[in-house]
Amino acid sequence: MGFVIAPAPTVLGTCSLTAALEIACFVHLCICVFFVASVQSDKAVVLNGTSGSKMRVPKRSLCSLRGVEVSPLMQCSTAAWFLIGIPVVIYAGVGACFRVESHLTTYLQYLVATLAVVVSWIVIFTKYGNSCVTVPPGAVQKRSSVISEAPAFVCSVSNGMVMFWLTALMGAVISAIYLAWSMKVYIRSRTETELLRYQEPWQLAQSLADDAAAEQARAAKQLHSKLMASMPRDATWAAQGAAQF
């Protein structure tokens, strides 16, 4: 990913990268709580594309609503996924605050899986959903064999709004992935910089120790040369012969 897209700067306008990610985590946490709180394990829910709201209706009226019926099992599965997301989001918020890269790695994996969930819901709405209501609310059909279809323009606009909000949700997930990845890159680069900063005093101490050892060796050699020069010649030969043996 780093070869294609550059990470976000550490300051986004008047907001820092850390603050932007914390805001994204807070919004994500609220979304997770909302989905967990709105699940119904005993009734199917029909998502009507016209208003984007949930309605609990009997199955015989599904043909008039022409929305997407979400079974209790599907609701519980989606709510379970967002329930898992609550500790993961808190985990990521703590990691962003205290610069822990492993926390953001876990959050990135969860966001990528969440993006797959959102894409699957888009596919479901595209394939099975239809925001065109064939019968107005409260109206009574006098002829059961005749069904008045909504105008094509109204259908296209209404379906377009549904797809717009679903695409906006997918874009929000992608933005959160980008922020989390940028924060992870920033933490890694900062960790490497701090390691280099801690390494510099030890390298300086090692360099000073090497210089001191070289200076001591040079002083010892000069002292040895002076001693050899001050000794008589016979004693010098004897000392050299003893040194050879």
Side-chain angles (χ1 to χ4, degrees):
M1 191 172 182
F3 297 101
V4 181
I5 304 175
T10 55
V11 179
L12 304 172
T14 58
C15 182
S16 64
L17 180 60
T18 304
L21 184 58
E22 293 290 348
I23 293 172
C25 289
F26 176 74
V27 175
H28 192 180
L29 180 64
C30 293
I31 292 174
C32 291
V33 172
F34 171 76
F35 275 97
V36 172
S38 61
V39 68
Q40 290 289 331
S41 60
D42 57 342
K43 295 180 182 179
V45 173
V46 176
L47 300 179
N48 187 10
T50 307
S51 60
S53 59
K54 298 180 179 180
M55 292 182 292
R56 298 172 183 83
V57 297
K59 292 185 177 180
R60 61 186 179 184
S61 61
L62 293 182
C63 59
S64 62
L65 288 172
R66 299 179 68 181
V68 176
E69 180 186 6
V70 184
S71 65
L73 179 61
M74 190 66 177
Q75 293 182 58
C76 292
S77 301
T78 306
W81 177 254
F82 284 102
L83 181 62
I84 295 173
I86 293 176
V88 173
V89 171
I90 298 174
Y91 190 67
V94 174
C97 184
F98 294 98
R99 308 290 193 274
V100 183
E101 184 181 354
S102 60
H103 291 202
L104 295 179
T105 301
T106 304
Y107 186 52
L108 271 174
Q109 295 172 354
Y110 179 80
L111 283 177
V112 171
T114 303
L115 180 62
V117 173
V118 173
V119 171
S120 65
W121 275 108
I122 291 177
V123 172
I124 290 173
F125 271 95
T126 304
K127 187 175 181 179
Y128 299 106
N130 190 357
S131 61
C132 295
V133 179
T134 58
V135 180
V140 179
Q141 283 186 331
K142 296 182 179 179
R143 297 180 182 179
S144 59
S145 60
V146 178
I147 300 178
S148 60
E149 296 292 340
F153 177 75
V154 177
C155 290
S156 61
V157 170
S158 186
N159 288 328
M161 289 300 296
V162 174
M163 294 306 301
F164 169 77
W165 287 114
L166 289 175
T167 307
L169 180 60
M170 184 175 66
V173 176
I174 294 175
S175 300
I177 292 175
Y178 178 67
L179 288 176
W181 171 74
S182 300
M183 189 66 189
K184 180 181 177 182
V185 173
Y186 168 70
I187 292 174
R188 181 177 300 175
S189 61
R190 182 170 178 174
T191 302
E192 293 175 355
T193 305
E194 289 180 354
L195 290 176
L196 291 175
R197 186 183 66 182
Y198 292 140
Q199 187 179 4
E200 288 178 357
W202 295 102
Q203 290 179 346
L204 180 60
Q206 181 181 1
S207 177
L208 293 176
D210 293 340
D211 293 341
E215 185 68 24
Q216 289 178 0
R218 186 165 49 252
K221 185 176 181 180
Q222 291 178 357
L223 179 62
H224 179 71
S225 299
K226 291 181 179 179
L227 289 175
M228 295 297 293
S230 62
M231 292 176 64
R233 182 172 296 180
D234 296 339
T236 303
W237 289 347
Q240 291 179 353
Q244 290 179 358
F245 287 104

